[in-house]
Amino acid sequence: MHMTESPRPSGAQTTDQDPTSYPYDSTAYDGAVHGSTAYDSGASAGGYPPPPPYAPTPAPGPAPTGRRRAKRPVALLAAVAIAAGAIGGGTATLIGQLNSGSAQATSSTGTVQGTTVSQSSKGTVAGVAEAVSPTIVEIGATSSAGKSTGSGVVITEDGEIVTNNHVISGAQQIEVTLSTGKTYTADVVGTDPDKDLALIKLRGASGLKTATLGDSSQVKVGDQVVAIGSPEGLTGTVTSGIISALDRDVTIAKDDSGSSGQGQGGQGGGREWPFEFGGQQFNGDTGEKTTTYKALQTDASLNPGNSGGALINMDGEIIGINSAMYSPSSSAAGSGSAAGSVGLGFAIPVNTLKADLDTLRAGNNS
């Protein structure tokens, strides 16, 4: 195991006859009357026929029948108009409510609120990588033992970066490279060896893109995750997998007094920080000063250099800080070498980090 160090027109009239239906029963008049010019629509400026010269003979049946027939279309039209108005208003209200709900769920930039992944890419590894990679950095720590490479996560625009304590422990100089390739010198703000966490700060940085810290208490076994870091000095490497287990006990050395592997200069690669898991020791002796924390286990590939990088859910939220990996020794590679990731990686839950931020910012170096 190795410690891992992204209707009709107005006025239109096409015939000489007024198309309006008149409320007179067709049985009340003979053909002569209907043909009379007195009933021509052109005889009246208002377009309505004059009253008949004599009282029409009522049609068989009750006398009020004609009036009711005359009024029904008007009443029906009025009712239809009212109903249409009600339906139209209700539809408008419904559409307004739906649009309002949509506006609340999505910002004007198309980013899902509370996440960093665009709506069109949500739930994809590519979407997570694109959104979060700019917030992951490579950390080069130079100490008396050489230079090792790790990773970090930007949490403030002015350059606060979270990483593992074992990435920067004993470092005399820290250089940070952003995803853009720009480099900064960094200073240690605070460390917490008990939790293998550290906070560093870039000199003269501003306007940096920051990561979104999620809630590790909501993580479930089987959840898909993405890991971004700089394994073997390969900046911005993206791997993916699932959460394999929760609350794994991982024991680490609190300082570099144990028989840790030496940092690999020149090519980077990361320090093989000693730790214990499952009753066994890996990467050397953890020494007398150790601490144990509960870790998230993942099968996302982690390699030396991933330490301090991000373990991310599919909403683009940081749910853990990658801290260790198990890898069996490779006899073919020679003494002191190790094989690649076999899918046993560990990350410090992000809720542990959030609870520790005030302590780190206070400059606690216990």
Side-chain angles (χ1 to χ4, degrees):
M1 180 174 296
H2 299 269
M3 301 307 294
T4 58
E5 301 269 346
S6 252
R8 168 180 170 183
S10 175
Q13 187 170 345
T14 59
T15 68
D16 292 331
Q17 299 296 319
D18 191 300
T20 306
S21 297
Y22 304 117
Y24 298 107
D25 195 306
S26 61
T27 61
Y29 309 98
D30 58 20
V33 174
H34 279 291
S36 173
T37 58
Y39 289 88
D40 194 288
S41 60
S44 174
Y48 294 97
Y54 56 87
T57 302
T65 300
R67 292 191 184 93
R68 282 200 297 269
R69 289 180 181 175
K71 292 182 179 181
R72 277 177 184 169
V74 177
L76 179 59
L77 288 173
V80 170
I82 294 172
I87 293 173
T91 303
T93 301
L94 177 60
I95 293 174
Q97 290 173 343
L98 291 175
N99 288 339
S100 175
S102 176
Q104 292 174 357
T106 308
S107 71
S108 60
T109 60
T111 300
V112 179
Q113 294 182 359
T115 73
T116 58
V117 180
S118 66
Q119 191 174 33
S120 61
S121 299
K122 184 178 179 181
T124 68
V125 174
V128 171
E130 180 181 8
V132 185
S133 287
T135 73
I136 310 301
V137 302
E138 179 182 306
I139 299 176
T142 302
S143 68
S144 58
K147 184 178 181 179
S148 63
T149 302
S151 305
V153 181
V154 179
I155 62 171
T156 64
E157 293 184 354
D158 61 351
E160 281 190 348
I161 294 174
V162 174
T163 187
N164 290 139
N165 174 63
H166 76 259
V167 169
I168 53 86
S169 179
Q172 299 163 344
Q173 182 179 352
I174 301 174
E175 187 178 77
V176 174
T177 304
L178 305 183
S179 63
T180 60
K182 186 174 183 178
T183 61
Y184 289 87
T185 296
D187 300 308
V188 176
V189 176
T191 63
D192 189 342
D194 287 333
K195 297 176 181 177
D196 195 19
L197 290 171
L199 184 68
I200 63 176
K201 178 75 178 295
L202 305 184
R203 297 177 185 176
S206 63
L208 302 183
K209 184 171 182 178
T210 63
T212 300
L213 303 183
D215 182 358
S216 52
S217 70
Q218 300 300 310
V219 175
K220 298 178 179 63
V221 173
D223 283 353
Q224 288 185 291
V225 290
V226 174
I228 306 179
S230 299
E232 306 295 345
L234 301 175
T235 305
T237 295
V238 178
T239 58
S240 65
I242 63 169
I243 293 294
S244 304
L246 307 174
D247 299 325
R248 293 298 201 195
D249 288 329
V250 174
T251 299
I252 62 166
K254 292 179 66 172
D255 54 38
D256 57 1
S257 62
S259 302
S260 60
Q262 299 299 307
Q264 301 174 13
Q267 300 301 315
R271 183 182 307 174
E272 296 181 356
W273 195 262
F275 69 103
E276 301 174 18
F277 170 69
Q280 301 181 62
Q281 289 192 352
F282 304 91
N283 308 335
D285 186 359
T286 54
E288 297 181 355
K289 296 181 179 180
T290 64
T291 184
T292 300
Y293 60 84
K294 299 289 186 180
L296 302 174
Q297 181 183 327
T298 179
D299 69 350
S301 295
L302 302 180
N303 290 286
N306 270 117
S307 279
L311 190 65
I312 312 154
N313 66 20
M314 302 311 288
D315 286 332
E317 301 169 330
I318 311 301
I319 57 170
I321 303 298
N322 298 322
S323 57
M325 61 156 283
Y326 165 75
S327 179
S329 296
S330 173
S331 57
S335 178
S337 297
S341 172
V342 292
L344 288 176
F346 303 92
I348 301 166
V350 74
N351 286 8
T352 300
L353 165 62
K354 292 194 292 186
D356 205 33
L357 269 178
D358 288 343
T359 299
L360 295 172
R361 285 170 171 156
N364 183 10
N365 287 275
S366 61

